[in-house]
Amino acid sequence: MISFVSKRIRKLSTTLRALQPSSQVASVLQVMVSYLRELCQKRRFKNVQHVLDVVGQLYEKGDREIRQGIEYLFLHCLSRMDHLCDQKQWHLVINHLPLKLREVYILQHIK
């Protein structure tokens, strides 16, 4: 997982390489969440979209532990970032979630 993310989000490669090779899924996702939060604060939405694409690829290709980590940790943290941008930008972020993840997000966070 570290290698997969490092190759696709080069900005995180140094931070991820500092983690142990056997690091838990949660550790890698937390690094990604922190980066995503930073991107939202800086209004770098093209980069936000790229991170969401990588998370979608992880979700599609990952095992059960990775999918559950994304569903519980990543999507929960994502739902707490809505205050970092205006409503229009937030809708763009959510609409850019890959379809399967968007469906999970809607089930979990939009009631």
Side-chain angles (χ1 to χ4, degrees), residues 53-100:
D53 288 340
V54 173
V55 172
Q57 292 171 19
L58 279 171
Y59 191 77
E60 290 290 323
K61 297 177 181 179
D63 61 17
R64 184 177 179 196
E65 181 183 10
I66 291 172
R67 286 191 305 274
Q68 285 182 337
I70 291 170
E71 288 175 3
Y72 298 116
L73 176 72
F74 185 85
L75 290 180
H76 174 75
C77 292
L78 180 69
S79 72
R80 302 294 182 246
M81 289 186 208
D82 62 341
H83 68 284
L84 299 175
C85 49
D86 65 37
Q87 189 174 10
K88 182 180 176 183
Q89 292 167 329
W90 182 247
H91 285 291
L92 290 173
V93 169
I94 296 306
N95 286 331
H96 195 74
L97 275 171
L99 182 59
K100 288 184 180 185

mmCIF file of all heavy atoms in Angstrom, residues 53-100:
data_model
loop_
_atom_site.group_PDB
_atom_site.id
_atom_site.type_symbol
_atom_site.label_atom_id
_atom_site.label_comp_id
_atom_site.label_asym_id
_atom_site.label_seq_id
_atom_site.Cartn_x
_atom_site.Cartn_y
_atom_site.Cartn_z
ATOM 1 N N ASP A 53 -8.886 10.221 -6.488
ATOM 2 C CA ASP A 53 -8.717 9.180 -7.510
ATOM 3 C C ASP A 53 -7.857 8.029 -6.983
ATOM 4 O O ASP A 53 -8.178 6.856 -7.196
ATOM 5 C CB ASP A 53 -8.081 9.752 -8.784
ATOM 6 C CG ASP A 53 -9.022 10.636 -9.571
ATOM 7 O OD1 ASP A 53 -10.255 10.540 -9.378
ATOM 8 O OD2 ASP A 53 -8.521 11.441 -10.384
ATOM 9 N N VAL A 54 -6.778 8.374 -6.299
ATOM 10 C CA VAL A 54 -5.896 7.342 -5.743
ATOM 11 C C VAL A 54 -6.627 6.532 -4.675
ATOM 12 O O VAL A 54 -6.524 5.302 -4.628
ATOM 13 C CB VAL A 54 -4.593 7.961 -5.195
ATOM 14 C CG1 VAL A 54 -3.755 6.923 -4.462
ATOM 15 C CG2 VAL A 54 -3.789 8.585 -6.329
ATOM 16 N N VAL A 55 -7.394 7.199 -3.835
ATOM 17 C CA VAL A 55 -8.176 6.491 -2.820
ATOM 18 C C VAL A 55 -9.180 5.554 -3.502
ATOM 19 O O VAL A 55 -9.374 4.413 -3.070
ATOM 20 C CB VAL A 55 -8.895 7.472 -1.870
ATOM 21 C CG1 VAL A 55 -9.864 6.748 -0.951
ATOM 22 C CG2 VAL A 55 -7.872 8.247 -1.058
ATOM 23 N N GLY A 56 -9.780 6.013 -4.589
ATOM 24 C CA GLY A 56 -10.699 5.162 -5.344
ATOM 25 C C GLY A 56 -10.001 3.936 -5.914
ATOM 26 O O GLY A 56 -10.549 2.827 -5.877
ATOM 27 N N GLN A 57 -8.787 4.104 -6.415
ATOM 28 C CA GLN A 57 -8.021 2.972 -6.931
ATOM 29 C C GLN A 57 -7.688 1.992 -5.807
ATOM 30 O O GLN A 57 -7.789 0.774 -5.994
ATOM 31 C CB GLN A 57 -6.734 3.455 -7.601
ATOM 32 C CG GLN A 57 -6.963 4.224 -8.874
ATOM 33 C CD GLN A 57 -5.679 4.875 -9.372
ATOM 34 O OE1 GLN A 57 -4.579 4.508 -8.994
ATOM 35 N NE2 GLN A 57 -5.837 5.862 -10.239
ATOM 36 N N LEU A 58 -7.298 2.521 -4.662
ATOM 37 C CA LEU A 58 -7.035 1.664 -3.501
ATOM 38 C C LEU A 58 -8.284 0.881 -3.119
ATOM 39 O O LEU A 58 -8.215 -0.307 -2.804
ATOM 40 C CB LEU A 58 -6.596 2.499 -2.300
ATOM 41 C CG LEU A 58 -5.154 2.933 -2.230
ATOM 42 C CD1 LEU A 58 -4.958 3.926 -1.086
ATOM 43 C CD2 LEU A 58 -4.237 1.738 -2.043
ATOM 44 N N TYR A 59 -9.410 1.555 -3.134
ATOM 45 C CA TYR A 59 -10.676 0.914 -2.762
ATOM 46 C C TYR A 59 -11.010 -0.214 -3.734
ATOM 47 O O TYR A 59 -11.435 -1.287 -3.325
ATOM 48 C CB TYR A 59 -11.787 1.963 -2.730
ATOM 49 C CG TYR A 59 -13.071 1.458 -2.117
ATOM 50 C CD1 TYR A 59 -13.181 1.335 -0.743
ATOM 51 C CD2 TYR A 59 -14.157 1.133 -2.903
ATOM 52 C CE1 TYR A 59 -14.356 0.876 -0.157
ATOM 53 C CE2 TYR A 59 -15.339 0.675 -2.337
ATOM 54 C CZ TYR A 59 -15.435 0.545 -0.965
ATOM 55 O OH TYR A 59 -16.593 0.087 -0.395
ATOM 56 N N GLU A 60 -10.809 0.037 -5.007
ATOM 57 C CA GLU A 60 -11.116 -0.969 -6.031
ATOM 58 C C GLU A 60 -10.164 -2.160 -5.968
ATOM 59 O O GLU A 60 -10.582 -3.305 -6.100
ATOM 60 C CB GLU A 60 -11.040 -0.340 -7.425
ATOM 61 C CG GLU A 60 -12.146 0.641 -7.736
ATOM 62 C CD GLU A 60 -13.494 -0.029 -7.913
ATOM 63 O OE1 GLU A 60 -13.536 -1.138 -8.476
ATOM 64 O OE2 GLU A 60 -14.484 0.569 -7.473
ATOM 65 N N LYS A 61 -8.876 -1.884 -5.783
ATOM 66 C CA LYS A 61 -7.861 -2.931 -5.872
ATOM 67 C C LYS A 61 -7.473 -3.526 -4.527
ATOM 68 O O LYS A 61 -6.834 -4.572 -4.481
ATOM 69 C CB LYS A 61 -6.600 -2.368 -6.538
ATOM 70 C CG LYS A 61 -6.834 -1.921 -7.957
ATOM 71 C CD LYS A 61 -5.598 -1.300 -8.556
ATOM 72 C CE LYS A 61 -5.888 -0.829 -9.976
ATOM 73 N NZ LYS A 61 -4.743 -0.205 -10.595
ATOM 74 N N GLY A 62 -7.846 -2.854 -3.451
ATOM 75 C CA GLY A 62 -7.403 -3.273 -2.126
ATOM 76 C C GLY A 62 -8.166 -4.464 -1.582
ATOM 77 O O GLY A 62 -9.242 -4.820 -2.057
ATOM 78 N N ASP A 63 -7.588 -5.037 -0.549
ATOM 79 C CA ASP A 63 -8.245 -6.153 0.121
ATOM 80 C C ASP A 63 -9.302 -5.616 1.091
ATOM 81 O O ASP A 63 -9.548 -4.415 1.166
ATOM 82 C CB ASP A 63 -7.211 -7.037 0.831
ATOM 83 C CG ASP A 63 -6.415 -6.295 1.904
ATOM 84 O OD1 ASP A 63 -6.840 -5.205 2.344
ATOM 85 O OD2 ASP A 63 -5.355 -6.815 2.301
ATOM 86 N N ARG A 64 -9.888 -6.517 1.826
ATOM 87 C CA ARG A 64 -10.978 -6.147 2.730
ATOM 88 C C ARG A 64 -10.523 -5.131 3.782
ATOM 89 O O ARG A 64 -11.243 -4.182 4.093
ATOM 90 C CB ARG A 64 -11.520 -7.396 3.408
ATOM 91 C CG ARG A 64 -12.692 -7.130 4.287
ATOM 92 C CD ARG A 64 -13.231 -8.409 4.859
ATOM 93 N NE ARG A 64 -14.359 -8.122 5.717
ATOM 94 C CZ ARG A 64 -14.844 -8.956 6.581
ATOM 95 N NH1 ARG A 64 -14.338 -10.157 6.691
ATOM 96 N NH2 ARG A 64 -15.863 -8.622 7.330
ATOM 97 N N GLU A 65 -9.324 -5.304 4.323
ATOM 98 C CA GLU A 65 -8.817 -4.388 5.337
ATOM 99 C C GLU A 65 -8.666 -2.965 4.787
ATOM 100 O O GLU A 65 -9.026 -1.987 5.453
ATOM 101 C CB GLU A 65 -7.457 -4.877 5.858
ATOM 102 C CG GLU A 65 -6.874 -3.993 6.925
ATOM 103 C CD GLU A 65 -5.500 -4.445 7.390
ATOM 104 O OE1 GLU A 65 -4.897 -5.331 6.771
ATOM 105 O OE2 GLU A 65 -5.033 -3.876 8.395
ATOM 106 N N ILE A 66 -8.170 -2.853 3.569
ATOM 107 C CA ILE A 66 -8.015 -1.533 2.946
ATOM 108 C C ILE A 66 -9.374 -0.902 2.677
ATOM 109 O O ILE A 66 -9.600 0.268 2.986
ATOM 110 C CB ILE A 66 -7.177 -1.641 1.654
ATOM 111 C CG1 ILE A 66 -5.731 -1.988 2.006
ATOM 112 C CG2 ILE A 66 -7.251 -0.344 0.842
ATOM 113 C CD1 ILE A 66 -4.857 -2.311 0.814
ATOM 114 N N ARG A 67 -10.295 -1.685 2.118
ATOM 115 C CA ARG A 67 -11.640 -1.135 1.843
ATOM 116 C C ARG A 67 -12.328 -0.679 3.129
ATOM 117 O O ARG A 67 -12.937 0.387 3.174
ATOM 118 C CB ARG A 67 -12.482 -2.162 1.095
ATOM 119 C CG ARG A 67 -12.075 -2.327 -0.350
ATOM 120 C CD ARG A 67 -13.066 -3.133 -1.162
ATOM 121 N NE ARG A 67 -13.341 -4.438 -0.594
ATOM 122 C CZ ARG A 67 -12.622 -5.541 -0.811
ATOM 123 N NH1 ARG A 67 -11.560 -5.488 -1.587
ATOM 124 N NH2 ARG A 67 -12.948 -6.689 -0.251
ATOM 125 N N GLN A 68 -12.219 -1.475 4.183
ATOM 126 C CA GLN A 68 -12.848 -1.082 5.454
ATOM 127 C C GLN A 68 -12.188 0.160 6.034
ATOM 128 O O GLN A 68 -12.875 1.029 6.574
ATOM 129 C CB GLN A 68 -12.794 -2.232 6.454
ATOM 130 C CG GLN A 68 -13.787 -3.315 6.143
ATOM 131 C CD GLN A 68 -13.760 -4.438 7.163
ATOM 132 O OE1 GLN A 68 -12.765 -4.650 7.854
ATOM 133 N NE2 GLN A 68 -14.853 -5.165 7.247
ATOM 134 N N GLY A 69 -10.864 0.245 5.921
ATOM 135 C CA GLY A 69 -10.166 1.430 6.405
ATOM 136 C C GLY A 69 -10.625 2.680 5.675
ATOM 137 O O GLY A 69 -10.829 3.738 6.283
ATOM 138 N N ILE A 70 -10.792 2.552 4.378
ATOM 139 C CA ILE A 70 -11.268 3.696 3.593
ATOM 140 C C ILE A 70 -12.697 4.046 3.980
ATOM 141 O O ILE A 70 -13.030 5.218 4.173
ATOM 142 C CB ILE A 70 -11.132 3.403 2.083
ATOM 143 C CG1 ILE A 70 -9.640 3.363 1.702
ATOM 144 C CG2 ILE A 70 -11.887 4.442 1.254
ATOM 145 C CD1 ILE A 70 -9.361 2.848 0.311
ATOM 146 N N GLU A 71 -13.537 3.036 4.115
ATOM 147 C CA GLU A 71 -14.938 3.289 4.462
ATOM 148 C C GLU A 71 -15.087 3.939 5.828
ATOM 149 O O GLU A 71 -15.886 4.858 6.000
ATOM 150 C CB GLU A 71 -15.734 1.984 4.434
ATOM 151 C CG GLU A 71 -15.971 1.441 3.045
ATOM 152 C CD GLU A 71 -16.643 0.088 3.053
ATOM 153 O OE1 GLU A 71 -16.995 -0.424 4.145
ATOM 154 O OE2 GLU A 71 -16.815 -0.479 1.957
ATOM 155 N N TYR A 72 -14.321 3.479 6.790
ATOM 156 C CA TYR A 72 -14.501 3.977 8.157
ATOM 157 C C TYR A 72 -13.616 5.172 8.487
ATOM 158 O O TYR A 72 -14.107 6.195 8.944
ATOM 159 C CB TYR A 72 -14.285 2.847 9.173
ATOM 160 C CG TYR A 72 -15.277 1.732 9.001
ATOM 161 C CD1 TYR A 72 -14.865 0.464 8.636
ATOM 162 C CD2 TYR A 72 -16.639 1.957 9.163
ATOM 163 C CE1 TYR A 72 -15.786 -0.560 8.459
ATOM 164 C CE2 TYR A 72 -17.566 0.953 8.982
ATOM 165 C CZ TYR A 72 -17.130 -0.320 8.636
ATOM 166 O OH TYR A 72 -18.028 -1.316 8.439
ATOM 167 N N LEU A 73 -12.335 5.064 8.241
ATOM 168 C CA LEU A 73 -11.423 6.142 8.624
ATOM 169 C C LEU A 73 -11.423 7.284 7.611
ATOM 170 O O LEU A 73 -11.699 8.433 7.950
ATOM 171 C CB LEU A 73 -9.997 5.601 8.793
ATOM 172 C CG LEU A 73 -8.934 6.655 9.096
ATOM 173 C CD1 LEU A 73 -9.112 7.170 10.513
ATOM 174 C CD2 LEU A 73 -7.544 6.093 8.917
ATOM 175 N N PHE A 74 -11.139 6.966 6.365
ATOM 176 C CA PHE A 74 -10.994 8.022 5.367
ATOM 177 C C PHE A 74 -12.298 8.781 5.158
ATOM 178 O O PHE A 74 -12.319 10.012 5.184
ATOM 179 C CB PHE A 74 -10.487 7.441 4.040
ATOM 180 C CG PHE A 74 -10.219 8.497 3.016
ATOM 181 C CD1 PHE A 74 -9.004 9.163 2.992
ATOM 182 C CD2 PHE A 74 -11.187 8.857 2.088
ATOM 183 C CE1 PHE A 74 -8.759 10.166 2.066
ATOM 184 C CE2 PHE A 74 -10.956 9.849 1.162
ATOM 185 C CZ PHE A 74 -9.739 10.504 1.151
ATOM 186 N N LEU A 75 -13.387 8.072 4.939
ATOM 187 C CA LEU A 75 -14.659 8.763 4.678
ATOM 188 C C LEU A 75 -15.140 9.531 5.904
ATOM 189 O O LEU A 75 -15.725 10.610 5.770
ATOM 190 C CB LEU A 75 -15.716 7.781 4.182
ATOM 191 C CG LEU A 75 -15.488 7.239 2.776
ATOM 192 C CD1 LEU A 75 -16.603 6.281 2.390
ATOM 193 C CD2 LEU A 75 -15.354 8.347 1.748
ATOM 194 N N HIS A 76 -14.885 9.004 7.093
ATOM 195 C CA HIS A 76 -15.267 9.741 8.309
ATOM 196 C C HIS A 76 -14.483 11.048 8.388
ATOM 197 O O HIS A 76 -15.058 12.115 8.646
ATOM 198 C CB HIS A 76 -15.007 8.895 9.551
ATOM 199 C CG HIS A 76 -15.229 9.640 10.818
ATOM 200 N ND1 HIS A 76 -16.498 9.923 11.299
ATOM 201 C CD2 HIS A 76 -14.362 10.197 11.687
ATOM 202 C CE1 HIS A 76 -16.382 10.627 12.416
ATOM 203 N NE2 HIS A 76 -15.102 10.800 12.676
ATOM 204 N N CYS A 77 -13.168 10.970 8.168
ATOM 205 C CA CYS A 77 -12.339 12.179 8.203
ATOM 206 C C CYS A 77 -12.739 13.148 7.095
ATOM 207 O O CYS A 77 -12.788 14.359 7.307
ATOM 208 C CB CYS A 77 -10.863 11.811 8.088
ATOM 209 S SG CYS A 77 -10.232 10.937 9.535
ATOM 210 N N LEU A 78 -13.016 12.617 5.920
ATOM 211 C CA LEU A 78 -13.448 13.461 4.807
ATOM 212 C C LEU A 78 -14.719 14.225 5.173
ATOM 213 O O LEU A 78 -14.847 15.414 4.887
ATOM 214 C CB LEU A 78 -13.672 12.613 3.554
ATOM 215 C CG LEU A 78 -14.133 13.370 2.310
ATOM 216 C CD1 LEU A 78 -13.010 14.259 1.785
ATOM 217 C CD2 LEU A 78 -14.574 12.384 1.232
ATOM 218 N N SER A 79 -15.637 13.554 5.839
ATOM 219 C CA SER A 79 -16.907 14.204 6.188
ATOM 220 C C SER A 79 -16.701 15.371 7.155
ATOM 221 O O SER A 79 -17.551 16.248 7.249
ATOM 222 C CB SER A 79 -17.878 13.191 6.790
ATOM 223 O OG SER A 79 -17.462 12.814 8.090
ATOM 224 N N ARG A 80 -15.576 15.393 7.859
ATOM 225 C CA ARG A 80 -15.272 16.470 8.805
ATOM 226 C C ARG A 80 -14.500 17.614 8.159
ATOM 227 O O ARG A 80 -14.090 18.539 8.844
ATOM 228 C CB ARG A 80 -14.462 15.923 9.988
ATOM 229 C CG ARG A 80 -15.145 14.801 10.737
ATOM 230 C CD ARG A 80 -16.397 15.315 11.420
ATOM 231 N NE ARG A 80 -17.038 14.273 12.190
ATOM 232 C CZ ARG A 80 -18.224 13.753 11.913
ATOM 233 N NH1 ARG A 80 -18.904 14.167 10.866
ATOM 234 N NH2 ARG A 80 -18.744 12.827 12.676
ATOM 235 N N MET A 81 -14.303 17.555 6.844
ATOM 236 C CA MET A 81 -13.549 18.606 6.157
ATOM 237 C C MET A 81 -14.441 19.603 5.431
ATOM 238 O O MET A 81 -13.944 20.518 4.794
ATOM 239 C CB MET A 81 -12.586 17.976 5.139
ATOM 240 C CG MET A 81 -11.444 17.261 5.747
ATOM 241 S SD MET A 81 -10.311 16.745 4.453
ATOM 242 C CE MET A 81 -9.604 15.311 5.198
ATOM 243 N N ASP A 82 -15.733 19.446 5.531
ATOM 244 C CA ASP A 82 -16.643 20.296 4.767
ATOM 245 C C ASP A 82 -16.511 21.777 5.118
ATOM 246 O O ASP A 82 -16.794 22.640 4.299
ATOM 247 C CB ASP A 82 -18.084 19.835 4.902
ATOM 248 C CG ASP A 82 -18.602 19.881 6.315
ATOM 249 O OD1 ASP A 82 -17.781 19.921 7.261
ATOM 250 O OD2 ASP A 82 -19.827 19.856 6.495
ATOM 251 N N HIS A 83 -16.041 22.084 6.300
ATOM 252 C CA HIS A 83 -15.885 23.487 6.715
ATOM 253 C C HIS A 83 -14.656 24.157 6.089
ATOM 254 O O HIS A 83 -14.493 25.362 6.196
ATOM 255 C CB HIS A 83 -15.791 23.579 8.238
ATOM 256 C CG HIS A 83 -14.543 22.978 8.787
ATOM 257 N ND1 HIS A 83 -14.366 21.612 8.885
ATOM 258 C CD2 HIS A 83 -13.410 23.548 9.235
ATOM 259 C CE1 HIS A 83 -13.168 21.372 9.371
ATOM 260 N NE2 HIS A 83 -12.560 22.530 9.598
ATOM 261 N N LEU A 84 -13.818 23.379 5.422
ATOM 262 C CA LEU A 84 -12.586 23.928 4.848
ATOM 263 C C LEU A 84 -12.802 24.613 3.502
ATOM 264 O O LEU A 84 -11.892 25.243 2.974
ATOM 265 C CB LEU A 84 -11.536 22.826 4.694
ATOM 266 C CG LEU A 84 -11.102 22.149 5.987
ATOM 267 C CD1 LEU A 84 -10.150 21.008 5.685
ATOM 268 C CD2 LEU A 84 -10.469 23.158 6.931
ATOM 269 N N CYS A 85 -13.985 24.464 2.942
ATOM 270 C CA CYS A 85 -14.266 25.107 1.657
ATOM 271 C C CYS A 85 -15.743 25.500 1.619
ATOM 272 O O CYS A 85 -16.524 25.086 2.467
ATOM 273 C CB CYS A 85 -13.899 24.185 0.491
ATOM 274 S SG CYS A 85 -14.512 22.513 0.606
ATOM 275 N N ASP A 86 -16.100 26.299 0.632
ATOM 276 C CA ASP A 86 -17.499 26.719 0.555
ATOM 277 C C ASP A 86 -18.362 25.566 0.034
ATOM 278 O O ASP A 86 -17.854 24.544 -0.410
ATOM 279 C CB ASP A 86 -17.655 27.992 -0.277
ATOM 280 C CG ASP A 86 -17.282 27.822 -1.740
ATOM 281 O OD1 ASP A 86 -17.564 26.760 -2.324
ATOM 282 O OD2 ASP A 86 -16.708 28.767 -2.307
ATOM 283 N N GLN A 87 -19.652 25.749 0.089
ATOM 284 C CA GLN A 87 -20.591 24.679 -0.242
ATOM 285 C C GLN A 87 -20.426 24.189 -1.683
ATOM 286 O O GLN A 87 -20.466 22.988 -1.943
ATOM 287 C CB GLN A 87 -22.022 25.154 -0.004
ATOM 288 C CG GLN A 87 -23.040 24.046 -0.118
ATOM 289 C CD GLN A 87 -24.437 24.512 0.262
ATOM 290 O OE1 GLN A 87 -24.685 25.700 0.435
ATOM 291 N NE2 GLN A 87 -25.348 23.567 0.380
ATOM 292 N N LYS A 88 -20.228 25.100 -2.609
ATOM 293 C CA LYS A 88 -20.062 24.718 -4.008
ATOM 294 C C LYS A 88 -18.809 23.856 -4.194
ATOM 295 O O LYS A 88 -18.849 22.817 -4.863
ATOM 296 C CB LYS A 88 -19.973 25.973 -4.887
ATOM 297 C CG LYS A 88 -19.839 25.681 -6.354
ATOM 298 C CD LYS A 88 -19.753 26.968 -7.168
ATOM 299 C CE LYS A 88 -19.522 26.661 -8.634
ATOM 300 N NZ LYS A 88 -19.367 27.874 -9.426
ATOM 301 N N GLN A 89 -17.711 24.272 -3.578
ATOM 302 C CA GLN A 89 -16.472 23.503 -3.680
ATOM 303 C C GLN A 89 -16.624 22.137 -3.017
ATOM 304 O O GLN A 89 -16.117 21.137 -3.517
ATOM 305 C CB GLN A 89 -15.315 24.279 -3.037
ATOM 306 C CG GLN A 89 -14.934 25.517 -3.808
ATOM 307 C CD GLN A 89 -14.024 26.426 -3.021
ATOM 308 O OE1 GLN A 89 -14.094 26.494 -1.797
ATOM 309 N NE2 GLN A 89 -13.167 27.152 -3.728
ATOM 310 N N TRP A 90 -17.328 22.106 -1.886
ATOM 311 C CA TRP A 90 -17.525 20.841 -1.184
ATOM 312 C C TRP A 90 -18.321 19.858 -2.042
ATOM 313 O O TRP A 90 -17.998 18.672 -2.109
ATOM 314 C CB TRP A 90 -18.214 21.066 0.158
ATOM 315 C CG TRP A 90 -18.376 19.785 0.916
ATOM 316 C CD1 TRP A 90 -19.524 19.138 1.215
ATOM 317 C CD2 TRP A 90 -17.315 18.983 1.444
ATOM 318 N NE1 TRP A 90 -19.267 17.984 1.898
ATOM 319 C CE2 TRP A 90 -17.906 17.864 2.055
ATOM 320 C CE3 TRP A 90 -15.931 19.090 1.451
ATOM 321 C CZ2 TRP A 90 -17.165 16.868 2.676
ATOM 322 C CZ3 TRP A 90 -15.184 18.100 2.070
ATOM 323 C CH2 TRP A 90 -15.797 17.005 2.671
ATOM 324 N N HIS A 91 -19.327 20.350 -2.719
ATOM 325 C CA HIS A 91 -20.109 19.475 -3.611
ATOM 326 C C HIS A 91 -19.237 18.946 -4.745
ATOM 327 O O HIS A 91 -19.382 17.794 -5.163
ATOM 328 C CB HIS A 91 -21.347 20.199 -4.148
ATOM 329 C CG HIS A 91 -22.429 20.338 -3.131
ATOM 330 N ND1 HIS A 91 -23.156 19.270 -2.649
ATOM 331 C CD2 HIS A 91 -22.901 21.426 -2.490
ATOM 332 C CE1 HIS A 91 -24.021 19.679 -1.759
ATOM 333 N NE2 HIS A 91 -23.890 20.992 -1.635
ATOM 334 N N LEU A 92 -18.337 19.766 -5.231
ATOM 335 C CA LEU A 92 -17.408 19.298 -6.267
ATOM 336 C C LEU A 92 -16.494 18.193 -5.726
ATOM 337 O O LEU A 92 -16.225 17.209 -6.421
ATOM 338 C CB LEU A 92 -16.568 20.458 -6.805
ATOM 339 C CG LEU A 92 -17.303 21.492 -7.638
ATOM 340 C CD1 LEU A 92 -16.380 22.674 -7.953
ATOM 341 C CD2 LEU A 92 -17.823 20.874 -8.930
ATOM 342 N N VAL A 93 -16.034 18.373 -4.502
ATOM 343 C CA VAL A 93 -15.188 17.347 -3.878
ATOM 344 C C VAL A 93 -15.962 16.033 -3.765
ATOM 345 O O VAL A 93 -15.488 14.972 -4.183
ATOM 346 C CB VAL A 93 -14.681 17.810 -2.487
ATOM 347 C CG1 VAL A 93 -14.038 16.660 -1.728
ATOM 348 C CG2 VAL A 93 -13.702 18.966 -2.637
ATOM 349 N N ILE A 94 -17.151 16.096 -3.210
ATOM 350 C CA ILE A 94 -17.952 14.881 -3.022
ATOM 351 C C ILE A 94 -18.320 14.266 -4.366
ATOM 352 O O ILE A 94 -18.277 13.044 -4.525
ATOM 353 C CB ILE A 94 -19.218 15.190 -2.187
ATOM 354 C CG1 ILE A 94 -18.812 15.635 -0.786
ATOM 355 C CG2 ILE A 94 -20.146 13.992 -2.134
ATOM 356 C CD1 ILE A 94 -17.897 14.682 -0.041
ATOM 357 N N ASN A 95 -18.655 15.088 -5.332
ATOM 358 C CA ASN A 95 -19.015 14.556 -6.650
ATOM 359 C C ASN A 95 -17.828 13.939 -7.372
ATOM 360 O O ASN A 95 -18.013 13.148 -8.292
ATOM 361 C CB ASN A 95 -19.663 15.632 -7.513
ATOM 362 C CG ASN A 95 -21.059 15.933 -7.069
ATOM 363 O OD1 ASN A 95 -21.751 15.078 -6.531
ATOM 364 N ND2 ASN A 95 -21.491 17.160 -7.263
ATOM 365 N N HIS A 96 -16.624 14.294 -6.956
ATOM 366 C CA HIS A 96 -15.451 13.699 -7.586
ATOM 367 C C HIS A 96 -15.048 12.367 -6.941
ATOM 368 O O HIS A 96 -14.201 11.664 -7.468
ATOM 369 C CB HIS A 96 -14.262 14.656 -7.590
ATOM 370 C CG HIS A 96 -13.196 14.208 -8.523
ATOM 371 N ND1 HIS A 96 -13.312 14.321 -9.891
ATOM 372 C CD2 HIS A 96 -12.032 13.566 -8.298
ATOM 373 C CE1 HIS A 96 -12.245 13.793 -10.451
ATOM 374 N NE2 HIS A 96 -11.445 13.326 -9.503
ATOM 375 N N LEU A 97 -15.662 12.030 -5.816
ATOM 376 C CA LEU A 97 -15.402 10.712 -5.244
ATOM 377 C C LEU A 97 -15.772 9.644 -6.270
ATOM 378 O O LEU A 97 -16.812 9.757 -6.932
ATOM 379 C CB LEU A 97 -16.257 10.492 -3.996
ATOM 380 C CG LEU A 97 -15.751 11.002 -2.672
ATOM 381 C CD1 LEU A 97 -16.843 10.887 -1.624
ATOM 382 C CD2 LEU A 97 -14.510 10.257 -2.238
ATOM 383 N N PRO A 98 -14.964 8.619 -6.420
ATOM 384 C CA PRO A 98 -15.347 7.522 -7.307
ATOM 385 C C PRO A 98 -16.717 6.982 -6.889
ATOM 386 O O PRO A 98 -17.072 7.001 -5.705
ATOM 387 C CB PRO A 98 -14.239 6.482 -7.094
ATOM 388 C CG PRO A 98 -13.055 7.306 -6.688
ATOM 389 C CD PRO A 98 -13.629 8.426 -5.851
ATOM 390 N N LEU A 99 -17.487 6.512 -7.853
ATOM 391 C CA LEU A 99 -18.894 6.160 -7.638
ATOM 392 C C LEU A 99 -19.125 5.247 -6.438
ATOM 393 O O LEU A 99 -19.982 5.526 -5.599
ATOM 394 C CB LEU A 99 -19.478 5.527 -8.903
ATOM 395 C CG LEU A 99 -20.953 5.160 -8.846
ATOM 396 C CD1 LEU A 99 -21.799 6.381 -8.560
ATOM 397 C CD2 LEU A 99 -21.386 4.515 -10.144
ATOM 398 N N LYS A 100 -18.368 4.168 -6.317
ATOM 399 C CA LYS A 100 -18.587 3.244 -5.196
ATOM 400 C C LYS A 100 -18.338 3.918 -3.850
ATOM 401 O O LYS A 100 -19.077 3.694 -2.895
ATOM 402 C CB LYS A 100 -17.702 2.011 -5.344
ATOM 403 C CG LYS A 100 -18.157 1.098 -6.449
ATOM 404 C CD LYS A 100 -17.318 -0.155 -6.513
ATOM 405 C CE LYS A 100 -17.819 -1.025 -7.645
ATOM 406 N NZ LYS A 100 -17.139 -2.306 -7.697
#
